[in-house]
Amino acid sequence: MTKTIGYRDWRWQALWWHHFFLLWSIIHGQTRYSIPEELKQGSVVGNLAKDLGLGLSEIFDRKLRVASEAGKQYFTVDAGKGELVVNDRIDREALCGQSASCVLTLQVVIDQPLQLYRVEVEIQDINDNSPKFPSQDIILEIAESTAAGARFPVETAKDLDLGVNSVRSYTISKDDYFSLKIKDVSGGRKVPELVLSKSLDREKKATHQLQLTAIDGGNPVKSGTCVITINVLDNNDNFPVFEKNIYKVSISENSVEGASIIKLTAKDIDEGPNGEVEYSFGTHTPDTVLSMFNIDSLTGEIRLAGQLDFETNENYEIDICAKDKGAPRMEGHCTVHIEVGDVNDNAPNIFLTSQPNSVPEDAPSGTVVALISARDLDSGDNGKVSLQLPKNSPFNLKPSFSDNYALVTGAALDRESFSEYKIDIIATDLGSPPLSSRKTVNVTITDVNDNPPVFSQPSYNVYLKENGVPGSILYSVSASDLDFGENAKISYSILDSKVQDVSVSSYVYINSDNGSIYSMHSFDYEKLKVFQIQVQAKDQGSPSLGSNTTVHVFILDQNDNAPAVIYPSSAALGSLSHQRMPRSAKAGHLVTKVTAVDADSGHNAWISYKVAEATDASLFTVNLYTGEVRTKRAVSEQDDSSQRLLIEIKDDGEPVQSSTVTVSILLEDGLHEPILDLRQKVSEPSKKTGRITLYLILSLASVSVLSVVTFLILAVKCMRSSRSSGSCCMTQGDYDGYKNPNRNLQIQLNTDGPIKYVEVMGGDMLSQSQSFRSCMSPMSEYSDFTMIKPSSTTDFKEVISVLDASLPDSTWTFESQQVSMV
């Protein structure tokens, strides 16, 4: 008997171990997928066969089947592809309500051998629900005596979606009397409140209608509306007033149902029914508050009506309304903030042994950021805690000893991309069901100077009028630096360069803080037309980084030079110009010619002449454009022998600059009559004239033949020398001079207006030391050509000396000179 019983005990023990190893072998593992809700039927969740390590043939042979713990079969397996696909419509709100996490658990079973897999499918929320108000029509009664600034809470809209897809903001139709304010309450909810902007007047408008719109944060955005009707009523001009606007009270989460929380008191200074107060929760009070608390309408005492849970809600914010019994009923509001005291229900806790250190963005991998420990008041498996970090986090947890960890860097950091990391650390115990807690560690990434300043433009063009006020701002350059703090502080400076062999710092200076460039003195267009400024921006990092830009400054001409007389020479030197003419002069007789130039450019250099004063205004006239002084009529015996003309010379600038010249004309009898104008003289042919013409033709032919011969000789020499030296008719010295980049020639032609001129400038771009201007008047009857240097705006002695050398004495006239030239 004893042996038989021992044999049976051994057999039962063997059977128990057999079932244990069989169960251990069939529960194989767990797989997790994540999909959005409302996927179409047949949408692929994942390749289940591949994730479980099964071949397609095994799906049939081993009879793979899926069972849902939810009861309804939302998923099925495509046997041909081994994919887990959607079998039915999935509505997250119907499955999980307002829960932050929604996971469907599937049991995958295969035979031969029998194995069980646990598959979790996380259902993600999409914006498939629009905000809805509990009522499409809201009616408010507001007394006309209500003071401006009064607030009236409005029912909040409900959105079945979560997170960013829930209600985010409210808007209201435009109204002169009401505006909308959004009040943030506990749980991240937003409550709209109507604010009275100005006093109502029932006699003017008894009813106001507003449209309230609730907008969620989804993409695309969805909204819902309701209509608020406000009836303006008379009477009862005092509303109940609470002792405080905000009441704060604490209560433990294990308080029993019916416990008194706080007793509120509101006073109404009216008498009778208008002073009797009734208490109630505000119209926007959520269902979670209504199910957890109640209020005595007569005493204002708030009592607990449900079981508090600190892990569900740490605090409640309740809007309390006190209404009197007047007509219309006036109401006052206060807010009760209830803090729920936590009772330890053995969830894991995470502690920071050391506060997180700021980490430089160039920190190497493995740098310690913080020390963390985890504790659970439970014992055994329920007290054993494991920590996890989110996926793709640039940080790692390095275990040390006894549930202590070091938070270290695990990847390269870039402050310009992420200046701060909010690291969610999840602590989970091994209890059944497991409890977990979460702690967020903020890690600040400090800056390293790895970005140079960058200017807003690679170069700048500045157009500056000449004669500006010294010290005035020319332009402001700006640069930005992606770094932070001292590494992003930028100082500006001007790199040394030459402008007309003078340092650019003699012309301008820059504000090192804001990049504003100022002039050191006024600029003269006639001396300097354009120059460049090299600006450097450097940060204050270590080592300092910098970048450069070029500012091109173009000086714009202003009419700052008056016309200067170059002929008659005596007038140009400031003396009176004396001229003589015979009394026998006819109408149109050329007396003299006044020539002036203007150092400015463009329209500012166009010159016109007119007679300002004259002894006899009927005797003389001056051409508007050429300056030729001619007689308007024949001289008579009654005319004074001494005539004086004051000729005014103006340019075409703004403002107009002018100068004057005085010409004294002496009328004399018996003075030699000048040769008449060839256009008005018809001479008879003579032998002497024909002989002179023959001589002129022979001379011209001889000169032409000599020129052709000379040209041929030079061409032959040029061809021979080009074979040996590679250059034609140019010495090495001339060639070097030609190659000099500072000997640029610029030709500017202006054909706008009655005065035609050409500017020929030699030298470098900034030098105007060699500049000549050719002024031609198309309205003159004769061609005049004058070359001057604009850089000499006042001293024309050299020009005058040249003219004096080529002109005869004061008895010379233009008509006789032209005839002699012919």
Side-chain angles (χ1 to χ4, degrees), residues 454-460 475-480:
V454 178
F455 282 95
S456 59
Q457 299 177 209
S459 63
Y460 301 84
Y475 197 77
S476 291
V477 298
S478 62
S480 58

Side-chain angles (χ1 to χ4, degrees), residues 38 47 57 67 74 102 158 160 162 185 191 221 285 318 351 398 480-481 574 586 671 726 770:
E38 302 293 347
N47 194 321
S57 60
Y74 290 100
C102 185
K158 305 295 182 182
L160 297 179
L162 297 177
V185 297
V191 176
V221 174
T285 305
I318 308 173
F351 302 96
K398 183 178 180 181
S480 58
D481 196 313
K586 304 299 182 181
L671 185 66
Q770 297 185 13

